[in-house]
Amino acid sequence: MNQREGPVTARGQKTRQALLDAACEEFGSKGFYNASISSITRRAGVAQGTFYLYYRSKEEILRALVDHMNRSMRRAQSEAVQNANHRVDAEVAGLRHFMRFALEHRSLYRVVMESQFVDPEIHRSYYQTLADRYAEHLSKAQQRGEIRAGDPCAQAWALIGVAYFMGMRFPVWEEREPPEDFMATMEDFIATALSPAPRPDAGERTTKGDRQMRGSH
Amino acid sequence: MNQREGPVTARGQKTRQALLDAACEEFGSKGFYNASISSITRRAGVAQGTFYLYYRSKEEILRALVDHMNRSMRRAQSEAVQNANHRVDAEVAGLRHFMRFALEHRSLYRVVMESQFVDPEIHRSYYQTLADRYAEHLSKAQQRGEIRAGDPCAQAWALIGVAYFMGMRFPVWEEREPPEDFMATMEDFIATALSPAPRPDAGERTTKGDRQMRGSH
Amino acid sequence: MNQREGPVTARGQKTRQALLDAACEEFGSKGFYNASISSITRRAGVAQGTFYLYYRSKEEILRALVDHMNRSMRRAQSEAVQNANHRVDAEVAGLRHFMRFALEHRSLYRVVMESQFVDPEIHRSYYQTLADRYAEHLSKAQQRGEIRAGDPCAQAWALIGVAYFMGMRFPVWEEREPPEDFMATMEDFIATALSPAPRPDAGERTTKGDRQMRGSH
Amino acid sequence: MNQREGPVTARGQKTRQALLDAACEEFGSKGFYNASISSITRRAGVAQGTFYLYYRSKEEILRALVDHMNRSMRRAQSEAVQNANHRVDAEVAGLRHFMRFALEHRSLYRVVMESQFVDPEIHRSYYQTLADRYAEHLSKAQQRGEIRAGDPCAQAWALIGVAYFMGMRFPVWEEREPPEDFMATMEDFIATALSPAPRPDAGERTTKGDRQMRGSH
DNA sequence: CATGAATGAGGCTTCATTCAT
DNA sequence: GATGAATGAAGCCTCATTCAT
């Protein structure tokens, strides 16, 4: 993403990585705006000026972090899901796996969330990319009849929303994974939400009007 | 919430409100950290020092705003839902209504989201309160058999997560309500997720194992 | 001292006095620069604006306080000393009495000390007045042969210096009177310092040279 | 004294010293509270931010100044006194020397005096240290019979009080040394106060009671 | 490749003082 | 005679960034 080249030797790579890690800790614990470059370089064990050999600005290293999260998540999620033969299972497995990932990368996850208030564009693009990938999978799954009909983007968005909040509630706030029964309901929630409607000939209710009638008996 | 008393005359009340509105605009458009008190008071048409007659600090006015959102939302949502006779309908109506609310109070909504990175405790308590209220409704609805069994807290979190993301995607990012078909899928998503499982004698699949088997045929 | 007239009714007098007392407490406890008018008026139980009906500025009320100390001290000291028939006794009694006075009016005493760093002129004039009065007494006492020859101003200054430091050490720092044996040595110190030299025919040493000789035996 | 490390190169040392000197001038002329960091850095010829590389706050540089005075005084006084063979001579020489020192370091001396109203603890500890050292010398001198019996602390305190006031009157207020006859009386004052009582067999009065009797004849 | 001293803009906050009621 | 809301100047301090070594 138009990133400064900077030193490229092995030593240089190590410094760059040290800065990235340090920034992750620093942003994650203090928040972007309360973090300071001097504290980052202190954590990384380099001089202040060194920072600018590798990153053009405080915001650029944030972008690098979001980028990093993007790649990590993609890899991690695709691994987590590779054994699922059914999209619903994949989503369920994905949610559970995400909880572990978010816990392990709490700081990084927090940074991504905060990026919305620093560089909305990058945050937006992060989630858009994520949603698009989701949507594509969902779309194909719909064609296979594995999941319920409907706008795949909306479904993707909904799934991400659920995961987002879970990630905030447990890994970030409480620094632990959700309790098992909580998790079970969550999985049931999304599994149910995605599961295909019974065939129309079954005479089942599916509309709002239907439900309202029933409610007014 | 431990708020500075400050001036109490009618004139004072007006000034206090002007500051609150101005802060909402300012935080909403620039973000908390890029907002400045001087800009807030300029918007409000008062001198800088006047700010501190009403709010002890930049953070305190943020808290006042989140508090304000809390009360507004509560009132707005209960109105929106009062005609629903069924919990599922209430949630669906609530979601749709929230989209309108979030659009109209974009700035305020953004402020609440950002509060996580300023004063995590207040943000956390905001959503905890919300989730608790949700959970209570859901719990009762479960007893009435209106919605699916499961941990009501988990369900509440899931619903909030969905709404949260929708609110970010459309009102905040695109400054419009979601398109109708998007909205429809969303409603279907949560309605399905909440709807009670068919009675067991129907021989329907409800378990993960079941699904997996089916997926591997 | 060119003091603002302000309201002069009985009620007005009470308010003026309340402000003066409040300022004394406030300055005494926080120091002049850390004291605030708003805190003074709060202590006095009046509105902020009221302050300026009685005193033109923060510095003016300080001047009023130093003035007040001046009058109080003068009265108190002359009472304390009126029974002494010998100047040395008067000074000794005066020192002891001053310790009690300083303890009782700790705040006021501190304010006078601090005034040097607010309005050097008033502080200087306070001590000059004091020293002049002292010097006059000492001068007469010298003529009566009660005390040692020498520049009475220098003697006055020395005596004040001793009292000043004692007042700082015990009443202000430790909020108590000096212990008795400490006090006794102090009294012996000034009594000795002031007592007349033996008559010259006694052949006693009185000069530095003399002492040095003795030192170099 | 828990001082910020700050830059440590030769250049850094120079900057640190420049700031210290500038602060001394600034505090000395305007007083601590009317002094401003920006004025100090202007005097020192550096940018405002540079100040905080060396001193954590306005108060810390004050502490550094008092500390500096402490060391300077100690060195200067011990030099001034090293030729005295008799404690009384040492005190007399010390007083005279202090007048020169106070004149030359007027600003620094004023700063030390004002420190009482900024950070009472440091001021107190400054004078306590001074008094303790004095007291020790006096105590030994008493054992050698060079000076009068009595609580050495009280004597020390008295001597410091005298010097303190002299230092204020002439070097600080009038920016000159005391006139010679003034000085002479002063020296006589302390020399007399410290000189041992004549041996009892001489029949001289030494008690208060004695004096009182004599006064009432 | 790295250092670290220096910069200076900019923000929050306090508070003496004024003034309309 | 008193009120108290409003003012706005001024100061401390932080920190991203630059630059000479």
Side-chain angles (χ1 to χ4, degrees):
Chain A
M1 199 160 284
N2 187 353
Q3 195 170 303
R4 168 165 289 192
E5 284 307 302
V8 290
T9 62
R11 183 187 178 194
Q13 285 308 320
K14 233 174 121 179
T15 301
R16 176 190 293 280
Q17 188 61 45
L19 284 167
L20 202 64
D21 293 343
C24 186
E25 288 307 309
E26 178 78 1
F27 291 160
S29 58
K30 297 191 195 162
F32 181 81
Y33 290 101
N34 293 313
S36 70
I37 301 291
S38 78
S39 181
I40 291 171
T41 52
R42 211 176 310 126
R43 277 177 200 261
V46 299
Q48 250 191 99
T50 304
F51 180 91
Y52 293 89
L53 295 177
Y54 296 92
Y55 301 96
R56 223 178 290 278
S57 68
K58 196 182 177 187
E59 295 197 4
E60 192 180 284
I61 202 169
L62 177 77
R63 280 192 287 272
L65 279 170
V66 176
D67 228 51
H68 182 241
M69 170 80 161
N70 214 339
R71 279 194 297 274
S72 299
M73 265 283 288
R74 195 179 312 227
R75 184 170 35 225
Q77 287 298 81
S78 54
E79 275 173 25
V81 156
Q82 65 192 7
N83 294 325
N85 292 312
H86 192 280
R87 192 68 223 163
V88 172
D89 298 329
E91 294 305 334
V92 165
L95 177 64
R96 187 174 283 268
H97 183 265
F98 175 68
M99 288 300 114
R100 267 204 296 283
F101 183 90
L103 181 60
E104 194 160 356
H105 302 83
R106 262 197 328 283
S107 291
L108 191 51
Y109 182 50
R110 225 199 87 133
V111 169
V112 170
M113 291 199 290
E114 188 171 13
S115 70
Q116 159 148 37
F117 303 101
V118 179
D119 182 341
E121 192 41 41
I122 199 178
H123 175 265
R124 180 179 174 149
S125 116
Y126 174 86
Y127 277 107
Q128 192 67 59
T129 302
L130 198 62
D132 288 351
R133 215 166 57 240
Y134 257 72
E136 200 175 349
H137 287 144
L138 293 169
S139 176
K140 287 183 187 151
Q142 279 186 25
Q143 286 162 19
R144 291 197 302 273
E146 287 177 11
I147 67 161
R148 198 171 182 82
D151 181 342
C153 290
Q155 292 172 329
W157 225 224
L159 289 171
I160 295 173
V162 169
Y164 178 96
F165 247 66
M166 286 287 282
M168 187 161 85
R169 175 70 215 280
F170 290 101
V172 175
W173 289 358
E174 305 193 3
E175 308 197 7
R176 59 166 174 135
E177 289 190 57
E180 190 47 40
D181 56 345
F182 198 107
M183 198 66 214
T185 296
M186 219 74 183
E187 291 180 349
D188 176 61
F189 186 95
I190 65 172
T192 307
L194 292 177
S195 58
R199 260 155 279 111
D201 59 51
E204 291 268 331
R205 64 164 183 79
T206 53
T207 67
K208 190 173 155 192
D210 183 13
R211 260 195 322 283
Q212 281 181 331
M213 274 197 324
R214 212 192 31 180
S216 61
H217 66 131
Chain B
M1 198 164 282
N2 190 352
Q3 192 173 303
R4 170 165 287 193
E5 283 305 303
V8 290
T9 61
R11 184 188 181 195
Q13 287 307 323
K14 237 174 118 176
T15 302
R16 176 189 293 277
Q17 188 60 45
L19 284 167
L20 202 65
D21 294 343
C24 186
E25 289 306 310
E26 178 77 3
F27 290 160
S29 59
K30 298 191 194 163
F32 180 82
Y33 291 101
N34 292 313
S36 73
I37 301 290
S38 76
S39 180
I40 291 172
T41 51
R42 212 176 308 122
R43 278 177 200 261
V46 299
Q48 268 203 70
T50 303
F51 180 91
Y52 294 90
L53 296 179
Y54 296 92
Y55 301 96
R56 228 177 288 277
S57 67
K58 201 179 169 187
E59 296 195 4
E60 192 179 284
I61 201 170
L62 177 76
R63 280 192 286 272
L65 280 170
V66 175
D67 224 53
H68 183 241
M69 170 81 161
N70 214 337
R71 277 194 297 273
S72 299
M73 266 282 289
R74 195 178 311 227
R75 185 170 32 222
Q77 286 298 82
S78 55
E79 276 173 25
V81 156
Q82 64 192 7
N83 294 326
N85 291 313
H86 192 281
R87 192 68 224 165
V88 173
D89 298 330
E91 294 305 334
V92 166
L95 177 64
R96 184 173 286 267
H97 184 266
F98 175 68
M99 287 301 114
R100 265 202 299 281
F101 184 91
L103 181 60
E104 193 161 358
H105 302 84
R106 265 198 322 286
S107 292
L108 191 50
Y109 183 50
R110 224 197 87 131
V111 169
V112 171
M113 291 198 292
E114 187 171 14
S115 70
Q116 159 142 38
F117 303 101
V118 179
D119 182 341
E121 193 41 42
I122 199 176
H123 176 265
R124 181 183 174 142
S125 120
Y126 174 86
Y127 277 109
Q128 192 67 59
T129 302
L130 198 61
D132 290 349
R133 217 166 54 240
Y134 257 71
E136 198 175 349
H137 288 145
L138 294 169
S139 176
K140 286 183 187 151
Q142 280 186 23
Q143 286 163 17
R144 289 195 305 271
E146 288 177 9
I147 68 163
R148 200 172 181 79
D151 182 342
C153 290
Q155 292 172 327
W157 274 121
L159 289 170
I160 295 174
V162 169
Y164 178 96
F165 248 65
M166 287 286 283
M168 188 161 84
R169 176 75 172 73
F170 290 101
V172 175
W173 288 358
E174 305 194 2
E175 308 198 5
R176 59 167 173 132
E177 288 190 56
E180 190 46 40
D181 56 345
F182 198 106
M183 198 66 215
T185 295
M186 218 74 182
E187 289 179 349
D188 176 62
F189 186 95
I190 65 171
T192 306
L194 292 177
S195 57
R199 260 155 278 111
D201 59 53
E204 293 267 332
R205 65 162 183 79
T206 54
T207 68
K208 189 173 155 193
D210 182 13
R211 240 181 287 110
Q212 282 179 330
M213 275 197 322
R214 216 189 31 178
S216 61
H217 64 136
Chain C
M1 199 164 282
N2 188 351
Q3 193 172 305
R4 168 165 289 190
E5 284 306 304
V8 290
T9 61
R11 183 186 178 192
Q13 284 309 321
K14 234 174 120 176
T15 301
R16 175 189 293 280
Q17 187 62 44
L19 284 167
L20 201 66
D21 293 344
C24 185
E25 288 308 309
E26 179 78 2
F27 290 160
S29 59
K30 298 190 194 162
F32 181 81
Y33 291 101
N34 293 313
S36 71
I37 300 291
S38 78
S39 182
I40 291 172
T41 52
R42 212 176 309 125
R43 277 177 200 261
V46 299
Q48 251 192 100
T50 303
F51 180 90
Y52 291 88
L53 296 177
Y54 296 92
Y55 300 96
R56 225 179 289 278
S57 70
K58 198 182 175 187
E59 296 198 3
E60 192 179 284
I61 201 170
L62 177 76
R63 280 191 286 272
L65 280 170
V66 175
D67 228 51
H68 182 241
M69 170 80 160
N70 215 337
R71 278 194 297 273
S72 300
M73 265 283 287
R74 195 179 310 227
R75 185 168 34 224
Q77 287 299 79
S78 53
E79 277 173 25
V81 157
Q82 64 192 8
N83 294 327
N85 292 312
H86 191 282
R87 192 68 222 162
V88 172
D89 299 328
E91 294 306 333
V92 166
L95 177 64
R96 186 173 285 267
H97 183 266
F98 176 68
M99 288 301 114
R100 267 202 296 281
F101 183 91
L103 181 60
E104 192 161 357
H105 302 83
R106 262 196 329 283
S107 292
L108 190 52
Y109 182 50
R110 224 197 88 133
V111 169
V112 170
M113 290 198 292
E114 188 172 14
S115 69
Q116 159 149 38
F117 304 100
V118 179
D119 182 341
E121 193 40 41
I122 197 178
H123 175 265
R124 181 181 172 146
S125 115
Y126 174 86
Y127 278 108
Q128 193 66 61
T129 303
L130 198 62
D132 288 350
R133 216 165 56 240
Y134 258 71
E136 200 176 348
H137 288 141
L138 294 169
S139 176
K140 287 182 187 153
Q142 280 187 23
Q143 287 163 18
R144 289 196 304 273
E146 287 176 11
I147 68 163
R148 198 172 183 79
D151 182 342
C153 290
Q155 291 172 328
W157 230 213
L159 289 170
I160 296 174
V162 169
Y164 178 97
F165 248 66
M166 286 286 282
M168 187 162 85
R169 173 73 214 280
F170 290 101
V172 174
W173 288 358
E174 305 192 5
E175 309 197 6
R176 59 167 172 135
E177 289 190 57
E180 190 46 40
D181 57 344
F182 199 106
M183 198 66 214
T185 296
M186 219 73 182
E187 290 179 349
D188 177 62
F189 185 95
I190 64 173
T192 306
L194 292 177
S195 59
R199 259 154 279 111
D201 59 54
E204 292 268 331
R205 64 165 182 77
T206 52
T207 66
K208 191 173 155 191
D210 182 12
R211 263 195 317 285
Q212 282 179 331
M213 274 196 324
R214 213 191 31 180
S216 61
H217 64 129
Chain D
M1 198 162 284
N2 189 352
Q3 193 171 305
R4 170 164 287 192
E5 283 306 301
V8 290
T9 60
R11 184 189 182 193
Q13 287 307 324
K14 237 175 117 174
T15 302
R16 178 190 290 279
Q17 189 60 46
L19 284 167
L20 202 64
D21 294 343
C24 186
E25 289 307 310
E26 178 78 2
F27 290 161
S29 59
K30 297 191 195 163
F32 180 82
Y33 291 101
N34 292 312
S36 73
I37 302 290
S38 77
S39 180
I40 291 172
T41 52
R42 212 176 307 123
R43 278 177 200 261
V46 298
Q48 269 203 69
T50 302
F51 180 90
Y52 294 91
L53 295 179
Y54 296 91
Y55 301 96
R56 228 177 288 278
S57 67
K58 200 179 169 186
E59 296 195 4
E60 193 180 284
I61 202 170
L62 177 75
R63 280 191 286 273
L65 280 170
V66 175
D67 225 50
H68 182 242
M69 169 82 160
N70 214 338
R71 278 194 296 274
S72 299
M73 266 281 289
R74 196 178 310 227
R75 185 170 30 222
Q77 288 298 81
S78 54
E79 275 173 27
V81 156
Q82 64 192 8
N83 293 327
N85 292 313
H86 191 281
R87 191 69 223 164
V88 172
D89 298 330
E91 295 305 333
V92 165
L95 177 65
R96 185 173 285 267
H97 184 265
F98 175 68
M99 288 302 114
R100 266 202 298 281
F101 183 92
L103 180 60
E104 194 161 355
H105 302 86
R106 264 197 322 287
S107 292
L108 190 50
Y109 182 50
R110 224 196 88 130
V111 169
V112 171
M113 290 198 291
E114 187 171 13
S115 71
Q116 158 143 38
F117 303 100
V118 178
D119 182 340
E121 193 40 42
I122 199 177
H123 175 265
R124 181 182 173 144
S125 118
Y126 174 85
Y127 278 108
Q128 191 68 59
T129 302
L130 198 61
D132 288 350
R133 218 168 51 241
Y134 257 71
E136 200 175 349
H137 287 144
L138 294 170
S139 174
K140 286 182 187 151
Q142 281 186 22
Q143 287 162 18
R144 291 195 302 271
E146 288 176 10
I147 67 163
R148 198 173 182 78
D151 181 343
C153 290
Q155 292 172 328
W157 226 225
L159 289 170
I160 295 174
V162 169
Y164 178 96
F165 249 66
M166 287 286 282
M168 188 162 85
R169 175 76 172 73
F170 290 101
V172 176
W173 289 357
E174 305 194 3
E175 309 198 7
R176 58 168 174 132
E177 289 190 58
E180 190 46 39
D181 56 345
F182 198 107
M183 198 65 215
T185 297
M186 220 71 183
E187 291 180 349
D188 176 61
F189 185 95
I190 65 173
T192 306
L194 293 177
S195 57
R199 259 156 278 112
D201 60 55
E204 293 268 332
R205 67 162 180 78
T206 53
T207 66
K208 192 173 154 191
D210 182 12
R211 240 184 286 111
Q212 283 180 330
M213 273 197 323
R214 216 193 26 180
S216 61
H217 65 137

